[in-house]
Amino acid sequence: MPPTQSHRIIDIHTHPAFFQEEVDHADVRRLIRYGRKFGIERMVILGDVLRYGRLPSASQIRSINDQTAALVEAYPDYFLGFCYVNPKLGDRLVRKEIARCVRLGFCGIKLEISCNAADRAMAPVMEEAARYGLPVLQHTADQTNIRERAFHSDPADTATLGGRYPEVQIIMAHLTSVGLRGVREIEEYRNVVVDTSAFQPVAGLVAYAVARLGAERVVYGSDLVIRDLGSSVGRVLAADISRSERRAVLFDNARRILRNGGADV
Amino acid sequence: MFDVNTAVGEWPFQRHGVNTIPELRLRLKQAGVSGALVSHLGCVLAEDPLPYNSDLFADLGRSRKLLPVPVVNPRLPGWEKDLAGLYGRRRRPIAIKVLPAYHNYTLRSPRFNELVAYCVAHAVPILLQLRLDDERTRYFGLKVRVVKPSHVVDLADRWPAARVILLNAYLPEVREIAASTRNTWFDTSFAEWFYTSRLIREAVPPGRILFGSHTPLLETRAAAMKIFDGPITAGLAQRIGHENATKLFDLP
């Protein structure tokens, strides 16, 4: 096996704080050391998005984003921040929070399960994303068995979002939870990429995504702390793809997306 | 590294590329796995696993590294005769794999308990496969019964001499079962959270953790990295990697 450290990696999908109002900085430093051991040079913090449930209030959203900002400020060479928003809070509050996050230096927007990606409430989020040039990372999971589509996005919904806003870079989260159909749902939407995070390292899935979408549309992510880094990095290292494709998935694509969002990466 | 959870053969819901023994051998070797317990995936959905068990035993021949494990469906009368056909009258199976969720019986069913009695009498460890995939992404037409942790605890209580190895248990299930039993072992394939190896060690005594990759349905290398590239001592890595399996299965 080639040493993991020989790969440069950016992790575009992490939650270093998970149901934690206060983070222990000794734990964070340990996490960074662990990440570096796997070759992970930078991590994108998406926020402690489920701490207050599915529909956080405006103040709860600010609290989550403030925590992200504090971590980015404490470890600026390692962490980058995405702005978590609840589109159901309405036009004014959504635009206000995104503007505040931009001032804080965030370089993307994170959406969880407050509303379905095809919901019209997404309009202000996507308009602000286009205005600031920010990528939008949308949590997505196949809803065939989960059956929460009223608020939980199926890959078809994230594809719909991509079709409505072709000028916005969208990252559909969770390759394993969207599966083969998820890859096909976004295939015709060139502004939508998929991240490799979450669930088990299902054999063949990364290679399938690369074959269908092209390596430039598959981005490494772990979903840390919900998943382990060995499992997350290992599924890309094990994939039957070329060396240059692997480099694109692990590093180049995220760097391109984050730079387009204004990050110094 | 010795892997207690591998299989070979086609699985209708996933093209995994390990349909033959040479393909399995290569997949394991690429991840640094030198030996494994192997079953045939064809046994899972077939009513009678015998033809697939027979193919597996024929394909593996006298392999000393890849060891065949027969799947038994205890609802089918005559399974003991089938085992004798695979092993002969004098040799005992290295282990028996059961899939109650896929073969439609409970852990309290009389026929399953006859199988447990056989395993206890012949000192055969039981590989109890809880699932093969994540319920959230399972093919919509495949309805599979859930094996509850409380039922596993009950089984272990009723059969204190049985050695039950749980395959594909999630970390909360590992915690629940390990806390209430002494005669259970756990493979590492589905248990996961940040710092997995540390969390499993906190949940399970070190002698009862076994490396399992769930090859070919999961990526072997990812399964290995999750445990052995994590925060783990060299001693624990050795125990999980091969020592526990060597002792439990009486490996050469």
Side-chain angles (χ1 to χ4, degrees):
Chain A
M1 289 188 288
T4 308
Q5 292 85 344
S6 67
H7 301 276
R8 300 184 72 189
I9 303 173
I10 297 172
D11 192 334
I12 207 158
H13 194 134
T14 78
H15 305 277
F18 193 73
F19 289 94
Q20 284 175 286
E21 292 199 12
E22 301 290 333
V23 297
D24 180 334
H25 282 272
D27 286 344
V28 176
R29 286 191 290 274
R30 198 173 300 122
L31 180 150
I32 292 171
R33 282 198 300 276
Y34 192 51
R36 287 193 167 128
K37 175 183 163 185
F38 286 89
I40 297 170
E41 298 179 8
R42 306 294 294 267
M43 287 185 183
V44 173
I45 301 176
L46 303 179
D48 192 358
V49 294
L50 292 172
R51 190 199 308 164
Y52 301 112
R54 185 172 76 75
L55 290 167
S57 68
S59 65
Q60 289 168 337
I61 284 279
R62 280 196 300 277
S63 163
I64 292 166
N65 288 329
D66 284 346
Q67 183 185 56
T68 298
L71 282 167
V72 172
E73 186 179 5
Y75 309 94
D77 295 333
Y78 204 71
F79 291 133
L80 299 152
F82 271 27
C83 176
Y84 175 47
V85 292
N86 167 6
K88 287 297 192 183
L89 290 174
D91 189 292
R92 188 179 66 82
L93 289 174
V94 164
R95 292 182 198 274
K96 186 178 170 188
E97 183 61 11
I98 292 173
R100 190 178 79 91
C101 286
V102 169
R103 289 196 298 277
L104 288 169
F106 287 23
C107 55
I109 294 170
K110 160 66 172 164
L111 296 160
E112 187 66 18
I113 53 172
S114 297
C115 72
N116 184 293
D119 193 311
R120 291 293 174 183
M122 294 286 284
V125 177
M126 302 307 286
E127 287 164 14
E128 293 304 294
R131 179 176 159 206
Y132 291 112
L134 299 175
V136 172
L137 193 148
Q138 171 67 63
H139 167 90
T140 311
D142 188 320
Q143 293 301 303
T144 307
N145 296 340
I146 296 174
R147 296 173 182 270
E148 294 177 341
R149 204 165 173 184
F151 56 85
H152 202 156
S153 301
D154 184 83
D157 304 316
T158 303
T160 297
L161 184 69
R164 283 181 185 159
Y165 299 95
E167 71 280 21
V168 177
Q169 172 71 70
I170 295 169
I171 303 157
M172 177 173 73
H174 308 320
L175 174 60
T176 309
S177 55
V178 301
L180 307 185
R181 180 172 67 80
V183 170
R184 284 172 173 259
E185 293 282 5
I186 65 167
E187 195 165 350
E188 69 176 275
Y189 302 103
R190 301 288 308 172
N191 57 319
V192 186
V193 301
V194 64
D195 85 30
T196 61
S197 69
F199 286 31
Q200 285 81 25
V202 171
L205 206 44
V206 170
Y208 180 87
V210 167
R212 294 292 309 197
L213 301 174
E216 71 280 4
R217 291 178 62 196
V218 184
V219 187
Y220 170 74
S222 67
D223 209 12
L224 162 171
V225 296
I226 300 166
R227 309 307 300 191
D228 208 330
L229 293 181
S231 163
S232 306
V233 173
R235 72 186 66 182
V236 181
L237 298 187
D240 186 15
I241 56 179
S242 71
R243 193 182 182 91
S244 62
E245 289 169 332
R246 202 177 322 280
R247 180 185 161 89
V249 172
L250 290 172
F251 187 79
D252 294 343
N253 298 337
R255 182 168 64 175
R256 180 188 74 241
I257 290 167
L258 294 168
R259 279 181 172 172
N260 289 342
D264 179 18
V265 186
Chain B
M1 236 187 307
F2 189 87
D3 190 335
V4 303
N5 186 1
T6 80
V8 67
E10 292 186 10
W11 181 237
F13 313 105
Q14 184 184 346
R15 279 173 64 88
H16 51 66
V18 179
N19 298 322
T20 65
I21 294 299
E23 288 168 342
L24 174 64
R25 194 171 277 126
L26 178 63
R27 181 73 60 88
L28 296 176
K29 186 181 174 189
Q30 287 169 338
V33 176
S34 54
L37 301 182
V38 187
S39 295
H40 200 299
L41 280 169
C43 297
V44 178
L45 299 178
E47 186 176 13
D48 184 357
L50 180 61
Y52 295 98
N53 285 330
S54 300
D55 287 350
L56 178 71
F57 277 65
D59 289 347
L60 282 173
R62 296 182 178 275
S63 168
R64 296 171 62 89
K65 301 286 187 183
L66 300 184
L67 307 173
V69 172
V71 170
V72 172
N73 178 358
R75 293 183 72 228
L76 287 186
W79 54 262
E80 199 167 349
K81 183 178 161 193
D82 293 345
L83 284 177
L86 293 169
Y87 284 95
R89 293 282 172 194
R90 292 187 180 171
R91 289 169 54 221
R92 67 172 179 84
I94 191 168
I96 284 174
K97 183 177 281 190
V98 293
L99 299 113
Y102 295 81
H103 290 160
N104 195 29
Y105 57 88
T106 69
L107 302 187
R108 278 214 166 241
S109 72
R111 287 191 173 179
F112 175 66
N113 282 273
E114 286 171 18
L115 173 62
V116 178
Y118 169 94
C119 290
V120 169
H122 294 84
V124 176
I126 302 167
L127 296 171
L128 200 167
Q129 190 139 26
L130 296 176
R131 57 180 64 79
L132 274 90
D133 53 12
D134 189 309
E135 291 80 355
R136 293 167 293 182
T137 51
R138 181 171 293 153
Y139 175 65
F140 70 92
L142 184 61
K143 307 300 179 197
V144 177
R145 184 197 296 261
V146 173
V147 179
K148 294 180 179 172
S150 60
H151 294 183
V152 177
V153 171
D154 172 65
L155 172 73
D157 275 351
R158 286 186 290 108
W159 292 97
R163 292 177 292 168
V164 182
I165 299 98
L166 281 305
L167 303 180
N168 304 86
Y170 294 119
L171 190 55
E173 294 172 328
V174 171
R175 288 185 173 124
E176 183 177 344
I177 296 167
S180 307
T181 58
R182 289 171 178 268
N183 52 334
T184 53
W185 284 255
F186 301 87
D187 95 319
T188 55
S189 62
F190 266 40
E192 185 170 351
W193 197 259
F194 200 58
Y195 302 137
T196 304
S197 47
R198 177 184 300 163
L199 296 179
I200 291 185
R201 171 63 193 90
E202 288 169 1
V204 185
R208 289 162 56 193
I209 311 169
L210 304 161
F211 172 64
S213 69
H214 198 39
T215 300
L217 301 187
L218 299 186
E219 295 286 11
T220 319
R221 185 172 180 188
M225 286 177 63
K226 180 180 77 175
I227 300 302
F228 301 110
D229 286 7
I232 188 170
T233 63
L236 184 58
Q238 279 190 0
R239 293 187 79 168
I240 296 176
H242 62 89
E243 286 178 2
N244 291 341
T246 300
K247 188 173 172 186
L248 180 62
F249 298 108
D250 197 19
L251 300 175

